[in-house]
Amino acid sequence: VGSEMCIRDSYYTKTDLFGTEKSFRTSHSGEILRTIEATSGDGDMTLTIEEGTIAKDKDGNRLRTLEAAVYETPPGPPEDAHIIGLAYDFGPDGATFDPPITLEYTYDPDDIPEGIAPEDMVLAYYDEEAGEWIEIPCTIDLVTNTITAEVEHFTTFAVIGYVAPAAFSLSDLSVYPAEVQPGETVTITVSVANTGGAEGDYTVVLMVNDVKEAERSVTVPAHDTKDAIFSISKEEAGSYSVVVDGLTDSFTVREAPSPAVPPAGVNWAILGPVVGVSVFLAIFLPARLRRRETG
């Protein structure tokens, strides 16, 4: 890929970096004698090899070539993950660098699939032997939309975005009404929020007076909120504590009203008819007398 010649104990090599010829000088030991910087044609990937870096091939010899290109058909990403933008292939495979070189990837937020947060993206390289993508420690700048990492060897690199799993939080516990008669219904509502990137199910457990009263399974889409609703009733008067996933409230069942008791010593079997007749005379007799007077 490049041509090489010796210049006073240093070597001058022309290589192909992202379709553009670049040149660098190394010593016999593989030391880079001038900083190398190359950016991909799309402007998204920048490679920097600092002056003084020792660059060697997989056999430990001075690195003689340097290649970088877009990888059109990279291996598939892990499950629940996506390759963001393009993958890049750096060669020759197995080339090593001491200290590590810098890769800076610039991403377009519009290219990030739904369900993936920028902070959940990583730079990764493909391990041919293991047949999997390996994450690299990297720094994400959410202001400049860049991901920066230091790498010690050449292979295929790409930015991998992972769909954040469902993550739940509960809030807004409501108990209504706060006071009821025995047997009346109390409605208990709690909001279940899914802050993750994937839909998921959450089981809401209702505890009343430290005893499991009921449970509800709620399916919540990513970045959405659903309510879990319970309807319960209690016959025994008293105060009842309500706990749902650490949220607390309460309701009260009032004492049932006592039935009216007639005064002691009154014989209603005898007195009842007398009261009835008295009421009849008080209402109808005056009306009858008035009619006679007007007649």
Side-chain angles (χ1 to χ4, degrees):
V1 178
S3 62
E4 177 184 72
M5 61 181 175
C6 179
I7 305 177
R8 293 185 181 180
D9 298 326
S10 66
Y11 297 83
Y12 180 79
T13 303
K14 292 183 178 180
T15 61
D16 184 0
L17 295 172
F18 303 115
T20 301
E21 285 192 355
K22 293 285 183 178
S23 62
F24 67 95
R25 293 173 56 216
T26 67
S27 69
H28 181 73
S29 64
E31 180 182 354
I32 302 294
L33 301 179
R34 187 180 66 185
T35 296
I36 301 168
E37 184 175 285
T39 301
S40 60
D42 57 14
D44 290 344
M45 176 64 78
T46 296
L47 159 72
T48 303
I49 305 176
E50 296 290 347
E51 178 181 342
T53 300
I54 304 298
K56 294 186 177 183
D57 63 20
K58 63 181 180 179
D59 298 319
N61 300 315
R62 172 178 49 80
L63 190 63
R64 297 174 182 272
T65 63
L66 193 61
E67 310 156 22
V70 172
Y71 194 173
E72 300 290 352
T73 56
E79 186 177 358
D80 296 329
H82 298 268
I83 292 179
I84 310 299
L86 299 174
Y88 300 89
D89 188 32
F90 294 87
D93 287 345
T96 61
F97 303 91
D98 182 21
I101 64 176
T102 302
L103 296 181
E104 182 180 88
Y105 182 87
T106 302
Y107 64 88
D108 184 343
D110 292 337
D111 290 339
I112 302 175
E114 184 177 358
I116 297 177
E119 56 267 26
D120 293 326
M121 299 190 305
V122 297
L123 193 63
Y125 72 88
Y126 191 72
D127 188 322
E128 294 283 353
E129 293 184 3
E132 62 182 0
W133 290 93
I134 307 297
E135 297 181 19
I136 305 170
C138 57
T139 301
I140 301 176
D141 190 324
L142 300 179
V143 177
T144 60
N145 298 331
T146 56
I147 302 175
T148 305
E150 294 184 341
V151 299
E152 298 177 343
H153 68 286
F154 267 173
T155 182
T156 297
F157 294 91
V159 171
I160 304 292
Y162 290 88
V163 177
F168 300 98
S169 62
L170 275 63
S171 63
D172 300 329
L173 177 63
S174 170
V175 178
Y176 182 83
E179 291 189 4
V180 293
Q181 296 291 345
E184 288 185 345
T185 298
V186 175
T187 301
I188 300 170
T189 305
V190 66
S191 295
V192 183
N194 179 2
T195 58
E199 180 179 88
D201 297 326
Y202 188 83
T203 299
V204 182
V205 178
L206 170 65
M207 304 290 290
V208 177
N209 283 357
D210 297 325
V211 177
K212 180 179 176 180
E213 179 76 19
E215 66 178 42
R216 294 279 187 277
S217 181
V218 183
T219 300
V220 188
H223 308 296
D224 201 355
T225 301
K226 297 291 183 182
D227 288 340
I229 302 174
F230 301 87
S231 295
I232 66 172
S233 62
K234 296 294 181 182
E235 297 292 340
E236 185 177 346
S239 178
Y240 292 83
S241 65
V242 174
V243 179
V244 180
D245 201 31
L247 302 175
T248 61
D249 207 328
S250 64
F251 66 93
T252 300
V253 177
R254 295 190 292 265
E255 293 282 354
S258 302
V261 178
V266 177
N267 190 334
W268 288 100
I270 297 174
L271 187 58
V274 174
V275 173
V277 171
S278 299
V279 171
F280 175 81
L281 292 177
I283 295 174
F284 293 102
L285 185 57
R288 187 176 182 84
L289 292 175
R290 285 195 299 271
R291 283 197 298 271
R292 284 184 179 179
E293 292 175 355
T294 58

